[in-house]
Amino acid sequence: MAVGAVLAVAAAAAPGTVDAEVAGGGSRRVPEILVTARRRVEDVQVVPAALSVVDGDLIERSYTVNTAQLSLLVPALNYSSANPRNTAFTIRGLGSSVVAVSQANDGLEPGVGFYVDQVYHARPATAAFDFVDIDRIEVLRGPQGTLFGKNSTAGAIHIITRAPTFDWQAQGEASHGEFNFFQARAAVSGPIVADTLAFRISGLATRRNGVLHNVTTGRDQNNLDNRSVRGQLLWQARDALTVRLTGDWSSFSSECCTQVYLRVGTSLRPAARQFPALSTGIGHAPPSLNAYDRLTDIDARLAVDTNEGGVSLVYDWDLGHATITSVTAWRFWNWNAANDRDYTGLKIQLQQGIPSRQDQISQELRMASNGDGPLGYVWGLYYFRQVITGRPISIYGPTAAYWLIGPTTGTPPVAVPSNLLDGYGQDGSTRFAADSYAMFGEVNWKATDRLTLTGGLRYTIEHKVGDYTTTVSGGLQTTVPALINAKLSILRPQAYGARDDSGDLSGRANVSYQLADGIFAYASHARGFKSGGINMSGLPLNVQNQPALSTAVVRPERNTTYEGGLKTDLFDRRLRFNLTGYHTEVRDFQATLVDSTQTIALRGYLSNIPKVTVEGFEADAVAAPIAGLQLRASVAYARGRYAEYPKGPCPLELQGTATTACDLTGGRLSGLPRWSTTLGGDYAVPIGKAGELFFHADSSWRSSHHGDPTLSKFTLIDGFNVTNAAIGIRAAKGWTVTVFARNLFNSNYIQNLTIQAGNAGLILGTPSDPRIIGATMGFRI
């Protein structure tokens, strides 16, 4: 069976999914899961790799509307997003760490690959849009790249959408809930030419009022307004040739995304330059000292306007012994936003943003063996190019000089006029271009009926070029050297160009053994490679207050992972239990940091952490103890630390006027909970011949973790639990009525946090969404 053919099949049941027999009260077995993680159709229980699969039905039943909520179903996956542009994924704590607004860096390649229908999306921001018409999602853990697409050091997320069908299908639903939540999803599919040409059109619209109240403007902010549409054509040219053409577009436009007062931390700086004294001196107080009152007083414009889309063409040509696949794609992403970067009602910063445009093209050519013979293989070629242009804009206001500089500056002291920075700002342009070429292949040899040996290699060549230019203007015009230097300490014109040329051989090898029917074991070794990056957000300043050109390029990242696993289907497939253990060592880990030597404007930049290690285990269980009931449980334990980090950024409590660097060796890896668990279940009770009554619940718990790479005690995010539930009736005629609750117990927790610009000690956070109860009516024919 060709790889592409699986895309035209109904969704394969995923872990935690009740298939038709179970829902109807018939089967008492855990459903089989078919995946294409190795570019061929396989039962997930014989794939020698750690991966999680969530299908479209579970996504719909759990009201998982986007990738942020997907992380609640997959414990090893962590998601951070201060706004769509500043979005990052980590798997087992590794990937790209974005912790705050304006810290995304266009020159950083994500460590977790994000794919939709085999097409790589280079900007993590495109993952912030809502799901539409999903067949399943495969989350692969550990280095990837010997089988398909772009190389990635931490793992990959692959979203597979539902394909066109040659029989007529239609489905749709509308949901309404608290905070004026509304979501509509619909899809229709059918033949244009019988058995030859089929189409599928699907769309989604999501709207929700803001969950933060602005006491300055009287408006509710951090609302949602998403729209997506996808159109597809499937051409069955002949039995051996299938062509799938897809076009899609998504948009996110809202009054979003700000944060609220979380806490105040103290530093070694003079008390007069810390938040309590500064805010008292100007007569300002936060609207609430409790983040879960969800109150803000920002006074600058807040808005997000972003959209993305593209076209892809996938050929699958079945030669009998093998299938040739070609994936050709073009995509774009537009970004524009306005932020109040000081997060207060003070006029410190009036405008901050970087309107951006990204275009990418990619071409992949693969050949994968068919059948179940002793030798299986995949080999391919991959090309990828992207260009990102941006315009960094920042403007300060009348309170900026008081808050960021103080009453005097220089030696001997010179009085600072209150309007020194009023209207002072920067404008500029950035351009980043990257080309990637790769050759990859993997071979599986069945040495015996039970023993299989696998080896794969990939050679990648990357060329990256970046140009960054900014100018400054405005503010009080002065000829006093101390005042000129004070202005330049806030924003300094920068112009630099940089390039990086990287190439490396990566790969993996594993051995797997079928110990008995339903018991499968494997051990693997993998080496991942991520090319060097270019700082595209401006450079930190050196001791001469000049851009540090040595920080323009960061070194490539190299990942080495050892992994072993056991996959079992027990008691006539009534219980599935999988266990994975791993150890990962990353050299020159690429991270987005904040220069703690800057007491004025915090600047996010790229840096290498010499050595990071993560080790742990993951366990997943699915049980079908009685007809109609399915239970799920997953746990992930991860011990991540900075194994070598002698010159890291200092935590707030150790920052003083002469702070340079701190030894963070031995500290916990930021953004990684030690424990993550998920529990869930589905139960369906037949109601005569009319249909069934069904129940769904899932609960996710994560332990505490640091929300900032400095590991400051003030940036610790407490552990939290989120529970979602639904109850409904599914009629035999295809309609469904459901009552649902997201965050059923109204748990309060912090999603991410930010240290306020100025380093005065104010810590901001994004509080959890409050409980939303609503109802859904849907149909499927």
Side-chain angles (χ1 to χ4, degrees), residues 279-461:
S279 57
T280 300
I282 205 168
H284 173 266
S288 174
L289 301 184
N290 182 354
Y292 304 115
D293 287 337
R294 297 176 173 83
L295 297 178
T296 181
D297 64 346
I298 61 171
D299 58 343
R301 179 174 173 264
L302 182 69
V304 165
D305 185 7
T306 180
N307 57 77
E308 63 105 12
V311 178
S312 66
L313 186 65
V314 179
Y315 287 83
D316 284 298
W317 186 14
D318 190 344
L319 303 177
H321 66 283
T323 296
I324 295 177
T325 298
S326 170
V327 183
T328 307
W330 164 78
R331 299 202 62 79
F332 73 90
W333 167 66
N334 288 312
W335 168 261
N336 196 6
N339 300 307
D340 189 333
R341 187 59 176 88
D342 59 64
Y343 297 102
T344 69
L346 301 173
K347 297 187 180 301
I348 301 172
Q349 195 163 13
L350 304 181
Q351 184 177 352
Q352 192 270 338
I354 178 167
S356 305
R357 165 82 183 198
Q358 184 249 9
D359 287 273
Q360 67 172 64
I361 58 172
S362 59
Q363 174 62 56
E364 181 172 357
L365 183 65
R366 289 193 314 269
M367 176 179 281
S369 61
N370 293 332
D372 196 29
L375 194 66
Y377 61 87
V378 174
W379 67 264
L381 302 171
Y382 184 77
Y383 171 70
F384 172 81
R385 175 175 173 80
Q386 70 165 326
V387 176
I388 309 174
T389 57
R391 184 187 176 191
I393 302 170
S394 187
I395 301 175
Y396 287 89
T399 313
Y402 165 82
W403 196 269
L404 301 176
I405 300 175
T408 63
T409 187
T411 304
V414 175
V416 175
S418 62
N419 63 341
L420 178 66
L421 298 179
D422 191 9
Y424 182 65
Q426 76 171 12
D427 198 351
S429 64
T430 65
R431 185 181 188 276
F432 173 79
D435 290 275
S436 177
Y437 309 83
M439 186 181 218
F440 59 86
E442 185 170 293
V443 176
N444 302 295
W445 175 47
K446 290 186 178 181
T448 70
D449 289 342
R450 293 183 178 272
L451 176 66
T452 301
L453 305 177
T454 300
L457 291 173
R458 178 191 185 98
Y459 192 77
T460 303
I461 298 175

Side-chain angles (χ1 to χ4, degrees), residues 12 203 277 471 582 592 738 745 757:
T471 59
Y582 65 91
T592 303
T738 310
F745 302 114

Side-chain angles (χ1 to χ4, degrees), residues 29-41:
R29 291 186 174 185
V30 175
E32 183 182 37
I33 307 161
L34 298 179
V35 297
T36 56
R38 295 199 295 175
R39 316 326 302 156
R40 60 177 65 87
V41 181

